[in-house]
Amino acid sequence: KESANRGIPAFQIFHSGVEVHGTEYVFGGGGAGLSTGIFTQRPKWMPSSAPWKYKESISLGFTNLSKNEVGGVLREMKSEWTNSTYDLTGKNCNHF
């Protein structure tokens, strides 16, 4: 599909998160003063002001970890998945 005003091929950018035990975990950059890039939100929820829309869920399987154990894994990951390490093409929500 061609963009009508620039002749540049149109493309889509997808955002993803991981839902575990009823909580969606996402990675993103931005937010001055924030150290972690890992955030939580309600699954399948998008703010009304968001320029994107929820599309679909894809099952990746199940975990035998408890909610507390998942929390421990995420606390360990926070040092590597910081706000400052976010890169739109090299380390984004889809890599998380």
Side-chain angles (χ1 to χ4, degrees):
K1 182 173 173 179
E2 290 288 318
S3 171
N5 59 359
R6 294 200 179 130
I8 300 171
F11 64 94
Q12 296 178 338
I13 298 175
F14 293 94
H15 171 72
S16 62
V18 179
E19 182 181 343
V20 183
H21 296 301
T23 300
E24 184 174 339
Y25 299 92
V26 297
F27 174 67
L34 297 176
S35 60
T36 184
I38 299 175
F39 302 92
T40 61
Q41 66 182 34
R42 288 190 323 246
K44 304 172 189 77
W45 179 82
M46 294 292 128
S48 59
S49 61
W52 56 84
K53 297 189 184 304
Y54 170 78
K55 183 175 179 182
E56 67 182 304
S57 293
I58 300 170
S59 178
L60 300 177
F62 300 91
T63 181
N64 290 322
L65 297 178
S66 70
K67 199 170 194 173
N68 286 337
E69 290 170 321
V70 169
V73 169
L74 288 164
R75 280 189 294 281
E76 290 178 24
M77 291 176 67
K78 283 184 177 186
S79 64
E80 292 182 41
W81 294 87
T82 63
N83 183 22
S84 63
T85 64
Y86 180 88
D87 180 77
L88 183 60
T89 59
K91 187 176 182 183
N92 61 47
C93 60
N94 298 301
H95 298 95
F96 178 71

